Amino acid sequence: MHCIATATFGAFLAMHKFHIGDLKFILPISGYALAVLLHFMWNLSVSFSETFLLGLLFLFLMILLFLFVFYISITNEKKIIVRELSNEK
């Protein structure tokens, strides 16, 4: 869970660095808030024995979401690299 929360905050920091727009300053704050919310939801779901299975399900879904976002990021990065290197031919 720490990895996912940290990666969420890091992704929002990266969006802040490369984002062009008026609401750029909100991205680090909202990324931190989302990371804290994810960690809070994890802590809440595993705090009670009745909700332990719900916590495992939550963690599993977060891992799947993390991998999906990572895949999209790598795909977009590949497009950028191909576009930038196409001028080199």
Side-chain angles (χ1 to χ4, degrees), residues 42-75:
W42 164 252
N43 286 344
L44 184 66
S45 65
V46 296
S47 294
F48 307 103
S49 60
E50 298 86 21
T51 59
F52 181 73
L53 291 177
L54 182 63
L56 290 179
L57 177 65
F58 177 75
L59 182 62
F60 180 72
L61 291 175
M62 286 295 101
I63 290 171
L64 287 178
L65 180 64
F66 177 77
L67 291 174
F68 179 69
V69 170
F70 180 72
Y71 173 77
I72 291 172
S73 298
I74 294 297
T75 303

Side-chain angles (χ1 to χ4, degrees), residues 3-39:
C3 174
I4 294 172
T6 303
T8 301
F9 182 51
F12 275 76
L13 288 178
M15 287 191 302
H16 169 73
K17 181 176 181 179
F18 296 108
H19 185 74
I20 300 171
D22 296 335
L23 300 176
K24 181 179 178 177
F25 67 93
I26 292 178
L27 289 172
I29 297 165
S30 59
Y32 179 74
L34 182 59
V36 169
L37 178 68
L38 288 174
H39 202 288

